[in-house]
Amino acid sequence: MSVTRQVDRRLAEIGASIRRWRLMQSLKAVEVAERAGISRSTLQKVERGDAGVSIGAVMSVMQALGQLDHVSASFDPLSTDVGRLRSASSLPDRVRR
């Protein structure tokens, strides 16, 4: 599978998950868009996994859904066993602390 297809598939999965978060909270698209400071059409693009949407828009939606901390934590390499092991051997002491 090509890199582009892999990325597109993951974007679609993320968009669907964002939509599920909204629906589980019984929020209308217009409500989330207003809270996120984006247009309803941009929210629709986020929920479709459109690659042209800015990461800022995605993060604003996650903030509006109360999930921003989870997203931020998922990018932390020290939140995984592999990341912690590699940091212990590859990062300078001043960065590891």
Side-chain angles (χ1 to χ4, degrees):
M1 182 182 302
S2 73
V3 172
T4 302
R5 285 185 52 202
Q6 289 176 15
V7 169
D8 288 344
R9 185 170 52 104
R10 294 296 184 187
L11 286 170
E13 290 171 3
I14 291 168
S17 294
I18 290 170
R19 184 171 192 273
R20 278 192 299 274
W21 272 113
R22 177 176 63 79
L23 294 174
M24 287 185 341
Q25 296 180 41
S26 301
L27 295 170
K28 295 180 181 178
V30 68
E31 293 173 302
V32 173
E34 285 175 6
R35 290 180 187 181
I38 60 174
S39 68
R40 188 169 179 275
S41 64
T42 299
L43 176 61
Q44 289 171 331
K45 290 177 184 178
V46 168
E47 291 184 350
R48 280 195 313 261
D50 186 316
V53 175
S54 74
I55 190 150
V58 174
M59 298 298 268
S60 293
V61 170
M62 296 309 289
Q63 173 68 36
L65 295 172
Q67 301 305 311
L68 187 58
D69 290 341
H70 297 293
V71 174
S72 298
S74 72
F75 284 96
D76 182 2
L78 299 178
S79 68
T80 67
D81 292 339
V82 171
R84 285 187 295 276
L85 286 170
R86 288 192 177 176
S87 74
S89 64
S90 66
L91 292 176
D93 285 338
R94 64 182 169 73
V95 176
R96 275 187 260 156
R97 287 184 222 144

